[in-house]
Amino acid sequence: MCDQTFLVNVFGSCDKCFKQRALRPVFIRSQQLSYCSVCAALMAAEGLHENETLASLKSEAESLKSKLEEERAKLHDVELHQVAERVEALGQFVMKTRRTLKGHGNKVLCMDWCKDKRRIVSSSQDGKVIVWDSFTTNKEHAVTMPCTWVMACAYAPSGCAIACGGLDNKCSVYPLTFDKNENMAAKKKSVAMHTNYLSACSFTNSDMQILTASGDGTCALWDVESGQLLQSFHGHGADVLCLDLAPSETGNTFVSGGCDKKAMVWDMRSGQCIQSFETHESDINSVRYYPSGDAFASGSDDATCRLYDLRADREVAIYSKESIIFGASSVDFSLSGRLLFAGYNDYTINVWDVLKGSRVSILFGHENRVSTLRVSPDGTAFCSGSWDHTLRVWA
Amino acid sequence: MAVGLDQIEKMPAVHVEDLSEKDKLKMEVAQLRKEAKLQRQQVSKCSEEIKKYIEARCGEDPLVKGIPEDKNPYKEKAGCTIS
């Protein structure tokens, strides 16, 4: 298990705004003070703008934005699908539902695979979180949350715990036990506390830390054992709906997507936003890193999925069709990154050829919106969850 | 200072509306200046790398090449016959 130590922030009263927050050291005229992350960011910004007026700031923002556009455009010498013209086309796909997991009493909102490639955790509007064995379709664990709309759930890397949350504004961790006499709910540990709904959560490389995204516009990194806030990420202008951690080889970053139509890439250690992308025309419901970590895909209410390359710092492909007018709720890549699976609000799953930009297959089966979709850890299957109360495993 | 288990640490409520227009713009300009300094690569180079990455792994991608029925853990459960 990876031992990542992050700078543990002191928690106390900010020297500037006096609110009780996680603090970091700042230096003003050689004096060390403790500021919260917001005051620290404002101070950094202030240092650059002594006597700026609102108007001059606005014009600087505009000119920087057009400069960024220009710089990005200069490097846009070709389209991804042009580079892929000579790549062999994919054959016919025969993917069908192999298992249907029934048991939720209401809309399935989220699901995640266990690293053992067979167990699945799912959460629902009815407040229930269920752990399934996808091979046998047996339910192995079930817990009822004190709230409805459990919008996020995640499996711990060890397979020994799950995390979930939603309208309770929290992220809670439940250890999984096979002792029939133990009540799962009794061992519940509240880890994260936001000021609005929890929209997404993910363990980092170990069971010790959890990353959360919330309707309060922030993302946060928490220590599971103590519940302490390790780092907070501010920058989205509206609800954050999704997040995904970079594959471990690529280092400590993650991407988030929100209702402000932006996808933002963050440095987990510093809390800083490294890059941001704003080409979608509506809420971004899902973001997923490409297997190499050099790119990520997004699915949006604007009915498109897009691929953003991090080294080129721009969108490099758009997956859309005139006939697709409903939002994409969830996206994931196949093992090699050749296929992009996307679940839509029109009840279908579209399979896209990532390189050529064309749709290779459309899968029917769900009887309501597809709300969540993940490919299994070894790439042999993928699972979709829907408002029709079921989950389907496709292979 | 460790936070006791009974004091669940609250996420600082930084609602963007709480900041003044000027403060928001200052943060935005500071962020844009950082982003403007980013080293970028040609799309052709990056796309070439994505293509190579995929081509190297495509052959081993179960969902792309398909899995023979007998090796698929999700194959339809066959009926049993008792003889």
Side-chain angles (χ1 to χ4, degrees):
Chain A
M1 212 133 314
C2 179
D3 268 324
Q4 290 183 319
T5 45
F6 284 83
L7 179 68
V8 175
N9 290 334
V10 167
F11 184 78
S13 173
C14 171
D15 285 334
K16 183 152 197 249
C17 65
F18 308 112
K19 298 197 180 150
Q20 289 291 312
R21 293 197 176 156
L23 308 173
R24 61 183 70 160
V26 298
F27 292 89
I28 298 178
R29 291 182 281 276
S30 332
Q31 187 194 10
Q32 183 178 330
L33 296 168
S34 295
Y35 276 13
C36 67
S37 56
V38 178
C39 293
L42 281 172
M43 188 202 79
E46 232 151 82
L48 305 171
H49 312 279
E50 272 310 321
N51 290 308
E52 303 262 4
T53 61
L54 204 64
S56 71
L57 279 173
K58 273 193 186 151
S59 77
E60 186 174 0
E62 287 313 306
S63 77
L64 279 168
K65 278 188 196 169
S66 18
K67 176 159 191 262
L68 270 171
E69 279 298 306
E70 246 183 70
E71 292 297 315
R72 283 169 168 168
K74 270 189 215 167
L75 299 161
H76 188 200
D77 50 350
V78 81
E79 297 291 333
L80 175 60
H81 63 83
Q82 288 172 297
V83 166
E85 247 158 30
R86 298 253 183 84
V87 175
E88 209 183 301
L90 293 164
Q92 269 293 347
F93 277 94
V94 185
M95 250 176 265
K96 47 185 182 152
T97 302
R98 302 288 178 158
R99 297 285 188 275
T100 304
L101 306 178
K102 295 186 187 176
H104 277 296
N106 212 322
K107 307 177 176 65
V108 175
L109 303 174
C110 189
M111 58 84 35
D112 191 18
W113 287 89
C114 176
K115 281 204 159 68
D116 72 0
K117 310 157 216 160
R118 75 186 265 177
R119 282 173 180 78
I120 286 174
V121 61
S122 62
S123 63
S124 162
Q125 185 194 343
D126 68 356
K128 284 216 168 56
V129 178
I130 300 178
V131 175
W132 316 77
D133 175 336
S134 66
F135 287 3
T136 63
T137 74
N138 289 339
K139 300 179 195 45
E140 295 195 341
H141 303 270
V143 69
T144 305
M145 293 280 284
C147 67
T148 57
W149 289 90
V150 188
M151 294 173 244
C153 64
Y155 228 116
S158 68
C160 299
I162 52 154
C164 53
L167 284 187
D168 58 352
N169 299 357
K170 294 190 225 168
C171 184
S172 307
V173 174
Y174 291 86
L176 294 174
T177 171
F178 282 91
D179 184 346
K180 296 245 187 299
N181 296 324
E182 267 206 57
N183 177 8
M184 229 173 107
K187 294 261 164 148
K188 167 180 168 174
K189 181 186 286 214
S190 284
V191 174
M193 188 77 184
H194 278 276
T195 52
N196 208 329
Y197 65 90
L198 187 84
S199 55
C201 64
S202 173
F203 283 86
T204 61
N205 293 332
S206 78
D207 285 18
M208 313 312 312
Q209 287 163 0
I210 283 190
L211 195 56
T212 57
S214 167
D216 66 13
T218 69
C219 296
L221 180 68
W222 309 81
D223 176 270
V224 173
E225 195 54 47
S226 63
Q228 188 165 13
L229 173 67
L230 298 173
Q231 187 61 267
S232 57
F233 306 89
H234 304 276
H236 276 287
D239 305 22
V240 186
L241 298 179
C242 51
L243 62 82
D244 191 35
L245 269 136
S248 31
E249 311 80 52
T250 13
N252 303 306
T253 61
F254 73 94
V255 60
S256 64
C259 292
D260 57 356
K261 312 176 204 169
K262 281 204 248 177
M264 302 179 81
V265 180
W266 306 87
D267 178 324
M268 280 165 78
R269 280 195 239 263
S270 67
Q272 302 286 313
C273 168
I274 307 170
Q275 291 168 272
S276 71
F277 304 88
E278 198 171 346
T279 60
H280 270 294
E281 291 164 25
S282 187
D283 300 2
I284 297 180
N285 298 313
S286 176
V287 285
R288 192 73 65 212
Y289 266 95
Y290 177 76
S292 72
D294 293 322
F296 69 90
S298 59
S300 161
D301 273 351
D302 67 7
T304 70
C305 297
R306 296 174 199 235
L307 186 69
Y308 296 90
D309 189 303
L310 294 171
R311 293 153 311 168
D313 188 39
R314 60 169 296 127
E315 174 193 301
V316 292
I318 176 168
Y319 307 99
S320 65
K321 269 180 112 69
E322 264 185 45
S323 53
I324 300 175
I325 55 171
F326 283 82
S329 62
S330 194
V331 299
D332 202 359
F333 287 99
S334 68
L335 201 65
S336 64
R338 181 69 194 266
L339 300 173
L340 180 70
F341 298 95
Y344 290 75
N345 293 341
D346 63 2
Y347 316 175
T348 67
I349 294 167
N350 287 305
V351 187
W352 300 92
D353 180 330
V354 170
L355 291 178
K356 295 191 185 277
S358 53
R359 178 174 66 186
V360 293
S361 192
I362 176 168
L363 303 172
F364 299 96
H366 278 296
E367 293 164 18
N368 206 321
R369 289 194 189 192
V370 178
S371 52
T372 178
L373 188 155
R374 295 294 295 257
V375 172
S376 74
D378 61 353
T380 51
F382 70 91
C383 179
S384 59
S386 162
W387 281 19
D388 69 7
H389 309 189
T390 71
L391 292 118
R392 284 171 183 249
V393 180
W394 308 76
Chain B
M1 167 178 127
V3 179
L5 284 171
D6 55 340
Q7 294 166 260
I8 298 162
E9 187 159 332
K10 257 198 202 290
M11 183 66 217
V14 185
H15 295 292
V16 184
E17 312 88 64
D18 287 348
L19 300 172
S20 72
E21 194 60 40
K22 194 168 179 193
D23 283 341
K24 274 193 258 179
L25 273 173
K26 280 189 189 176
M27 287 175 79
E28 195 182 343
V29 172
Q31 178 64 29
L32 285 167
R33 281 196 184 183
K34 262 197 284 156
E35 289 183 21
K37 290 197 196 136
L38 210 66
Q39 297 282 10
R40 289 174 194 84
Q41 293 181 29
Q42 299 270 34
V43 175
S44 53
K45 177 166 182 270
C46 300
S47 299
E48 205 46 59
E49 283 178 35
I50 290 180
K51 187 182 78 145
K52 289 206 179 96
Y53 182 92
I54 289 179
E55 283 185 309
R57 288 163 182 74
C58 217
E60 293 313 307
D61 185 335
L63 288 168
V64 171
K65 69 177 167 100
I67 315 170
E69 276 297 304
D70 55 346
K71 291 210 170 65
N72 186 350
Y74 295 103
K75 70 173 186 279
E76 310 304 326
K77 297 178 229 194
C80 299
T81 48
I82 303 170
S83 55

